[in-house]
Amino acid sequence: MPIIVAMDGPSGAGKSSTSKAIAKRAGWNYLDTGALYRGATWFAMQKNISDANQLVTALANEKLTFNPDPEKPILKCGKKDISEEIRSEEVTAKVSTYAAMPEVRAFLVELQRKVISNATKGIVVEGRDIGTVVAPQAHLKVFLTADLDARAKRREAELNTDKDLAESLAVRDEKDSTRKVSPLEMAIDAVNVDSTEINLEETVELIWELLKERELLGLPIVAILGRPNVGKSTLINRFLGRREAIVEDVPGVTRDRVRYECEWNARDFILMDTGGWESRPHGISVGVSAGAEIAIEEADVILFVVDAQVGALDEDDILVQELRKAKKPTILVANKVDGDQDESDAHSLWNIGLGEPHFVSALHGRGSGDLLDRIVGNLPEVGAAQAQDGYRRIALIGRPNVGKSSLFNALAGESRSIVDDAAGTTRDPIDELIEFGGSIWRFVDTAGLKKRANQASGTDYYATLRTQTALERCECAVIVLDASVPISEQDLRIITMVEEAGKAMVIVMNKWDLVDEDRRTQLDREIERHLDQVAWAQIVNVAAKTGWHRDRLAPALRTAIDSWERRVPTSKLNSFLGALIGATPPPVRGGKQPKIYYATQAGIAPPKFVIFSSGWIEASYRRFIERRLREEFKFPGTPVQVAIRVKERDKEQ
């Protein structure tokens, strides 16, 4: 299934421009479902058809087709291009009427799903019911909106008219929101993006951040090709910094295409090791060579490795011809260049016709760093290798025996994780997709954290490391506490660990069925005393063994993740900051009161704010700003990071 981004929202919110920009940037397909409804409306007006069943029959014969290229999206009715005609005022006035017909919607929804299923890498689909009806399985659902005045101005600019369109948009909103079939509404697991005070570029960047955070943008693939025994696997191990690929001094050791994740200069990509390519393969070499040819098709960048000690052979020339046909960035690598003399001899590889050879010694590391720099410089922003499936990643974390596995099973509705009264039953993270609260989540049940990783030993040490890895990869951590016993130091240490990791957080008080009135009173005091540092975290009381109140966890998770990914418009942020400074200026430091110029949100997941000032701001005032930010913009369930940046010119003065 391709990566699907569902873009819903009212008319004039900027769905089309945003969707096309995202699709172009990612190299994906684009589908304007509104164009299909306009096409059906145009066809009905041309044929003077008012009956829904008659219209569906006629459309089935004429065939509406949509070209999903974001550079040039075209709608055809039969062989006629109607892309411009469907934008007329006459069609706009009638489209809501035909779109409300159940038979027409059912017909067009099936057509939309066909376009989606035929997409290659991914597709951005925009409309009114994408996340709720057309593609409820979408990997990212965005509800893009803006206030009525902003939408009216955008639509007026788009149509180049002086006419006030606010009233017509309001009527359209009413019709879309109140129709009986597939009304306009935000999907329960959609991200709400308000574009009232942000421009197109900012909107696109915000959604791009969401795609990156959910690992929906494919990693680039770097395929390493060459004849047998030229040192491809040795080069892989050099890049990785560890011995992963099997290396022997005989040709043909690597047979399959093997993928390794690699990182260099903050860029992640996939290294694909291939078997040695032969022009006239026989026996098992037939499959090996075929695999290398498939790697050429899958790759975003190709490394063609030649043994510099042997030089180019006739077989290399044949492979070069295949690489030229692929028309992909190709780097010629001359391996086994151990010194200046070898490098001088290897200059003859210019004759291959792939440009300047890059001289390396995979065995000794000579030139490998420069080669990685060159590889990274050729990587596309989005590659062919899909990293994740797009489901929200939730880690269950806590001390041993607090009921993580019981909660895991309660959410799943079946026994998927072994439960025992003995502490430390779970050792390896258990990763499962669970349908819960109207959405599909990727839950990870982790081993209980007994002590710090540097103090643990043996099995506990590795279990702790795997739990920390699960925490790094998750979006929201569910910290499970045993409500029947006092909050421990280890509980607080785990909470601090999650906060420092910058993850969304929900605290679950488990074993509530064992809590009596006295313990509830005591627990309230403990929460007030010990959890004041994370007062922003939502607390959900559950009894995992009985399933009591488990349904309350899903809304808490959605709220926390929504806060974690929230962006505050710069204008609103600075308006708030100006009022705050006016009422409560920063404290004087060293006889001078620092000036605060402006603030910007530097990132999301978690929200990161940078405040520019003329001098350093006291930590107490930064905490004050953070607290007021929470009060103003509501960030339940997520840490908020506030940094101070002193302007260089003020430093010099």
Side-chain angles (χ1 to χ4, degrees):
M1 182 176 71
I3 295 298
I4 305 169
V5 177
M7 191 83 66
D8 289 311
S11 182
K15 298 189 303 296
S16 295
S17 301
T18 304
S19 297
K20 281 190 278 193
I22 292 288
K24 289 176 186 176
R25 188 170 174 180
W28 292 347
N29 289 150
Y30 160 73
L31 173 59
D32 177 5
T33 62
L36 293 173
Y37 286 102
R38 286 175 172 274
T41 303
W42 174 87
F43 183 76
M45 293 169 66
Q46 292 292 309
K47 301 294 183 181
N48 199 24
I49 301 173
S50 57
D51 180 75
N53 288 313
Q54 188 183 347
L55 176 58
V56 167
T57 303
L59 282 170
N61 292 328
E62 285 291 332
K63 290 187 179 178
L64 285 175
T65 55
F66 186 86
N67 173 34
D69 183 356
E71 297 286 352
K72 196 175 182 181
I74 296 172
L75 179 67
K76 288 185 177 181
C77 184
K79 294 182 179 180
K80 180 178 174 64
D81 184 346
I82 58 173
S83 305
E84 295 297 326
E85 294 173 73
I86 63 173
R87 304 294 172 184
S88 69
E89 289 187 16
E90 294 78 14
V91 171
T92 300
K94 291 278 189 179
V95 67
S96 291
T97 303
Y98 287 97
M101 296 176 177
E103 299 87 354
V104 175
R105 295 200 73 84
F107 174 79
L108 292 180
V109 164
E110 285 306 308
L111 180 58
Q112 292 157 29
R113 286 172 177 168
K114 283 181 183 176
V115 176
I116 292 170
S117 64
N118 289 333
T120 49
K121 292 182 181 178
I123 187 166
V124 185
V125 190
E126 56 113 336
R128 304 287 196 282
D129 61 348
I130 312 305
T132 53
V133 177
V134 178
Q137 77 281 21
H139 302 84
L140 174 63
K141 299 175 186 176
V142 176
F143 193 83
L144 185 61
T145 187
D147 66 32
L148 188 60
D149 288 339
R151 291 192 283 125
K153 288 177 182 175
R154 290 171 189 173
R155 184 52 56 89
E156 289 159 16
E158 182 185 339
L159 299 176
N160 195 23
T161 180
D162 295 329
K163 189 185 293 183
D164 187 355
L165 298 179
E167 187 177 345
S168 64
L169 284 177
V171 172
R172 180 77 184 274
D173 290 349
E174 178 68 18
K175 286 183 179 180
D176 287 341
S177 303
T178 57
R179 63 176 179 238
K180 291 182 180 180
V181 182
S182 306
L184 170 65
E185 58 183 6
M186 188 170 83
I188 193 170
D189 51 351
V191 179
N192 189 20
V193 176
D194 189 338
S195 67
T196 303
E197 298 191 43
I198 57 177
N199 59 30
L200 175 62
E201 290 74 23
E202 291 171 320
T203 306
V204 170
E205 196 59 40
L206 172 58
I207 296 171
W208 195 260
E209 283 188 55
L210 292 172
L211 288 167
K212 285 200 297 186
E213 180 58 38
R214 299 194 187 186
E215 299 184 21
L216 294 173
L217 300 172
L219 294 178
I221 296 175
V222 179
I224 301 184
L225 290 99
R227 291 181 293 102
N229 212 34
V230 294
K232 298 184 296 296
S233 297
T234 306
L235 191 60
I236 291 273
N237 288 339
R238 175 60 59 183
F239 288 163
L240 297 175
R242 60 187 185 275
R243 186 169 176 141
E244 285 272 354
I246 301 172
V247 176
E248 281 189 38
D249 239 354
V250 293
V253 174
T254 304
R255 292 175 174 177
D256 301 302
R257 298 188 312 282
V258 186
R259 298 187 180 202
Y260 306 94
E261 194 165 331
C262 184
E263 186 268 336
W264 184 257
N265 285 348
R267 286 298 308 273
D268 293 317
F269 56 96
I270 300 295
L271 285 171
M272 185 186 290
D273 195 7
T274 64
W277 187 87
E278 298 179 42
S279 60
R280 297 183 181 84
H282 55 86
I284 197 170
S285 297
V286 174
V288 174
S289 294
E293 290 167 11
I294 293 170
I296 294 174
E297 294 178 13
E298 294 179 347
D300 297 292
V301 176
I302 297 169
L303 295 191
F304 178 43
V305 184
V306 179
D307 185 342
Q309 303 278 349
V310 177
L313 303 181
D314 291 342
E315 281 196 356
D316 292 317
D317 292 334
I318 297 171
L319 182 54
V320 166
Q321 292 175 23
E322 296 296 321
L323 295 176
R324 283 178 180 151
K325 291 178 187 175
K327 296 180 179 178
K328 293 183 177 180
T330 302
I331 300 172
L332 175 61
V333 180
N335 191 28
K336 305 183 185 180
V337 178
D338 299 324
D340 293 340
Q341 184 58 50
D342 292 332
E343 184 173 323
S344 179
D345 295 340
H347 275 285
S348 61
L349 295 175
W350 274 92
N351 297 329
I352 289 179
L354 290 177
E356 182 182 2
H358 197 98
F359 307 117
V360 299
S361 172
L363 187 63
H364 302 110
R366 187 176 190 265
S368 59
D370 292 338
L371 177 56
L372 281 166
D373 287 339
R374 189 170 170 188
I375 291 169
V376 168
N378 281 276
L379 293 178
E381 191 170 13
V382 180
Q386 206 57 54
Q388 284 291 336
D389 50 23
Y391 297 113
R392 310 319 299 256
R393 302 185 299 281
I394 314 298
L396 299 176
I397 294 176
R399 289 186 295 109
N401 216 31
V402 293
K404 298 185 297 298
S405 297
S406 296
L407 179 61
F408 185 79
N409 291 338
L411 297 174
E414 59 183 296
S415 184
R416 297 196 189 180
S417 193
I418 299 172
V419 175
D420 196 273
D421 286 337
T425 304
T426 304
R427 290 181 173 176
D428 296 301
I430 298 168
D431 190 322
E432 291 277 354
L433 289 176
I434 294 176
E435 189 171 355
F436 164 66
S439 302
I440 297 175
W441 313 79
R442 183 169 292 284
F443 275 91
V444 183
D445 183 18
T446 66
L449 293 168
K450 294 181 181 179
K451 54 183 79 173
R452 298 179 188 269
N454 59 359
Q455 296 174 348
S457 60
T459 304
D460 289 343
Y461 174 76
Y462 291 104
T464 300
L465 288 183
R466 285 191 283 269
T467 298
Q468 289 177 340
T469 300
L471 173 61
E472 290 168 6
R473 293 187 62 80
C474 80
E475 294 167 290
C476 181
V478 174
I479 300 172
V480 184
L481 306 183
D482 185 345
S484 66
V485 300
I487 296 173
S488 70
E489 185 183 343
Q490 181 64 359
D491 291 326
L492 299 179
R493 191 177 292 125
I494 292 168
I495 289 172
T496 301
M497 181 176 74
V498 173
E499 184 183 14
E500 289 176 350
K503 303 298 181 181
M505 181 193 305
V506 174
I507 296 174
V508 167
M509 292 292 180
N510 190 28
K511 305 187 183 183
W512 201 254
D513 50 330
L514 304 179
V515 177
D516 56 23
E517 286 297 327
D518 290 340
R519 175 59 192 148
R520 290 183 189 181
T521 304
Q522 187 183 356
L523 183 59
D524 287 340
R525 292 179 188 146
E526 290 174 10
I527 291 172
E528 188 176 345
R529 186 169 62 253
H530 296 306
L531 302 186
D532 59 324
Q533 70 182 61
V534 288
W536 43 264
Q538 300 168 98
I539 298 177
V540 181
N541 302 327
V542 304
K545 281 195 173 181
T546 63
W548 182 78
H549 277 182
R550 67 176 181 178
D551 57 319
R552 294 188 177 183
L553 184 56
L557 289 172
R558 291 194 185 97
T559 299
I561 292 173
D562 180 62
S563 297
W564 192 62
E565 295 177 337
R566 184 173 302 157
R567 180 176 287 282
V568 179
T570 302
S571 58
K572 281 189 177 181
L573 178 62
N574 283 289
S575 177
F576 151 78
L577 190 63
L580 181 66
I581 296 167
T584 312
V588 174
R589 190 172 186 267
K592 291 184 179 179
Q593 187 174 59
K595 294 179 182 177
I596 293 180
Y597 299 115
Y598 63 92
T600 185
Q601 186 171 354
I604 59 172
K608 305 176 185 74
F609 298 93
V610 179
I611 296 172
F612 293 86
S613 71
S614 63
W616 191 244
I617 305 294
E618 300 289 346
S620 59
Y621 194 77
R622 293 204 306 274
R623 290 193 294 272
F624 167 71
I625 293 175
E626 180 190 333
R627 187 170 67 252
R628 293 299 303 273
L629 271 170
R630 289 188 179 279
E631 292 173 2
E632 180 72 18
F633 300 111
K634 314 298 182 191
F635 288 101
T638 180
V640 172
Q641 299 173 358
V642 177
I644 303 296
R645 188 169 297 171
V646 179
K647 285 195 164 184
E648 292 299 321
R649 66 173 183 266
D650 295 309
K651 277 185 178 179
E652 292 168 4
Q653 291 173 358

